Amino acid sequence: MARFRPLPWGRLRSVSVLAWTAVGSLAAWLWLLLGQGFFWRTDVRLPPLREPEQWPRVCVVVPARDEAAVLPSSLPSLLAQEYPGQAEVFLVDDGSTDGTGELARELARRQGGLPLTVDSPGEPPAGWTGKLWAVRHGIALARTRAPEYLLLTDADIAHAPDSLRRLVAAAHGGNVDLVSQMARLRVASRWERLVVPAFVYFFAQLYPFRRIGNDGARTAAAAGGCVLLRAGTAERVRVPEAIRHAVIDDVALARTVKRAGGRVWLGLADGVDSVRPYPRLRDLWRMVSRSAYAQLRHSLALLAGTVAGLALVYLVPPVAAVAGAAAGNGPAVAAGAAAWVVMAGTYAPMLRYYRQPLWLAPLLPFTALMYLLMTVDSAVQHHRGRGAAWKGRTYARPDTVPEKG
């Protein structure tokens, strides 16, 4: 009969640490599953139409910088809005070098539909990000029409014909100051399939949509591609002047409105789609890393905590399951596998929303590792003096002058 040979103390101790770490990850996932505003659900959508007796006037503001490649797929959808009230589109050409303004005028001549005004604000002064300076100019133009609502939408966003009508009905019927929809991002290339649904999933985990709509909760966020804002609220809270330095302007906007007592709502979109392609990993990497460190308020302590948290929540489960199996550590395998299953299960609804195969769900740890590296790279670029870069501009710190890159 073979004699039982106990594991060496060093190996036993390392196995124990692995098992306990996996248990910690599983506990974190159980809390996320039940205690983080059911962030993983995808049923927060615009409510059914409650049409007003008299449709309010709306002005649409579109900041655009070098967007000639996407305008033919997006601007006609805005001009073709089937809105019962008065509406007008203001496209602000933010120093484009690719003929964005001229193309917008040509599309309007061919398309017809809602009236279009194209104007340019010039270079942003010190303390302003370029996009918000363009938004300020567009809102100033819009105020000459005395609108009740402002639709702030990006140049790469295509809207279904009833999009504006549904947004106004939701805001007016629900007495909400800011209604925002997270546009359905493009998912075509293999990297987009791997990264894009996870991007929205992580955003919802940070800012659970149900909590955003809860007037008693402090959580506030918006999706900058599609924001309907009550014009009176914008003037009362001094938007965009109050957030003129913000790189992540949509979250800053929602926080400003909610802190001033305004009501905010954010949900997933039906009929609001981004047409901007991210075919290569490099494109997606730039999209995330340009603002990831700004999200952490340029804090090394928050960066360290984020890296540790991502590792515990997303990387430990597969590592514990695989390493535990190799070491014959049943508790580590059980806890790691259970956490991995919960993780994949919470990701599945987002994959269904994006019409992607569910076999991508177990790959979420790999995607999370990429986001971890993107966040670290964002911090590295910041401390090298490059800061957040977008559309040829670099924003090193909130109080710096945007510079041409």
Side-chain angles (χ1 to χ4, degrees):
M1 183 175 178
R3 295 178 58 189
F4 172 73
R5 306 178 87 180
L7 290 171
W9 168 246
R11 186 176 174 190
L12 180 62
R13 183 173 57 182
S14 66
V15 168
S16 256
V17 169
L18 180 63
W20 279 113
T21 306
V23 169
S25 182
L26 176 58
W29 271 110
L30 292 175
W31 179 81
L32 287 169
L33 177 68
L34 301 174
Q36 187 60 357
F38 296 100
F39 76 94
W40 43 271
R41 295 181 59 171
T42 57
D43 57 349
V44 180
R45 311 289 179 91
L46 282 179
L49 287 175
R50 290 173 54 192
E51 298 191 348
E53 294 182 5
Q54 182 174 358
W55 289 90
R57 179 189 288 268
V58 181
C59 287
V60 182
V61 176
V62 185
R65 180 175 172 84
D66 292 334
E67 298 287 17
V70 297
L71 273 187
S73 300
S74 59
L75 184 58
S77 72
L78 276 176
L79 300 176
Q81 285 299 296
E82 299 169 353
Y83 184 66
Q86 293 183 308
E88 187 172 350
V89 180
F90 294 87
L91 186 140
V92 184
D93 183 1
D94 180 19
S96 299
T97 59
D98 65 349
T100 289
E102 293 80 1
L103 176 60
R105 294 185 183 95
E106 176 59 28
L107 289 170
R109 280 192 292 269
R110 282 187 274 162
Q111 167 86 23
L114 298 184
L116 173 70
T117 299
V118 178
D119 206 347
S120 179
E123 283 296 303
W128 283 84
T129 63
K131 177 182 176 181
L132 287 173
W133 178 244
V135 169
R136 177 187 182 275
H137 187 72
I139 290 177
L141 293 172
R143 280 178 177 154
T144 63
R145 309 295 199 269
E148 187 172 338
Y149 290 98
L150 301 164
L151 174 61
L152 312 179
T153 185
D154 289 344
D156 66 320
I157 302 299
H159 293 257
D162 64 344
S163 176
L164 181 57
R165 181 178 188 144
R166 296 183 66 218
L167 285 164
V168 171
H172 197 275
N175 192 29
V176 181
D177 296 271
L178 186 155
V179 173
S180 179
Q181 290 191 93
M182 175 70 72
R184 199 189 304 258
L185 304 178
R186 180 182 182 269
V187 178
S189 72
R190 62 181 179 180
W191 286 113
E192 287 171 337
R193 292 188 183 100
L194 189 65
V195 174
V196 166
F199 176 82
V200 182
Y201 172 87
F202 293 145
F203 184 94
Q205 192 176 83
L206 284 173
Y207 305 103
F209 295 166
R210 280 175 171 76
R211 288 187 183 171
I212 292 170
N214 182 348
D215 296 341
R218 296 179 59 185
T219 305
C226 178
V227 176
L228 186 77
L229 177 64
R230 197 183 299 272
T233 300
E235 190 167 3
R236 177 168 58 87
V237 302
R238 298 181 57 250
V239 167
E241 287 82 0
I243 59 170
R244 61 188 179 276
H245 55 72
V247 175
I248 309 176
D249 52 89
D250 43 12
V251 174
L253 170 61
R255 284 176 176 166
T256 300
V257 170
K258 197 165 189 178
R259 285 173 180 170
R263 300 187 66 198
V264 176
W265 184 94
L266 172 64
L268 293 174
D270 292 307
V272 178
D273 301 285
S274 172
V275 298
R276 190 182 305 283
Y278 294 99
R280 300 166 299 180
L281 177 59
R282 181 173 64 181
D283 303 316
L284 289 160
W285 194 287
R286 187 183 301 118
M287 184 263 290
V288 175
S289 65
R290 73 183 178 91
S291 60
Y293 197 43
Q295 179 71 49
L296 301 176
R297 302 196 292 274
H298 303 121
S299 165
L300 288 174
L302 287 177
L303 174 65
T306 298
V307 169
L310 284 172
L312 174 66
V313 173
Y314 290 100
L315 305 186
V316 165
V319 169
V322 175
N329 184 348
V333 173
W340 201 353
V341 167
V342 175
M343 180 198 314
T346 62
Y347 189 37
M350 189 61 69
L351 289 173
R352 282 195 293 267
Y353 171 74
Y354 271 95
R355 306 181 187 95
Q356 296 304 302
L358 294 184
W359 60 260
L360 288 171
L363 300 183
L364 186 58
F366 174 72
T367 307
L369 175 61
M370 287 200 298
Y371 274 91
L372 186 155
L373 296 176
M374 292 172 190
T375 303
V376 172
D377 180 57
S378 179
V380 170
Q381 295 303 321
H382 172 82
H383 288 289
R384 284 180 176 174
R386 294 185 62 182
W390 188 244
K391 295 288 185 182
R393 287 195 179 105
T394 299
Y395 310 101
R397 287 179 176 82
D399 57 349
T400 58
V401 182
E403 298 175 348
K404 280 289 187 72

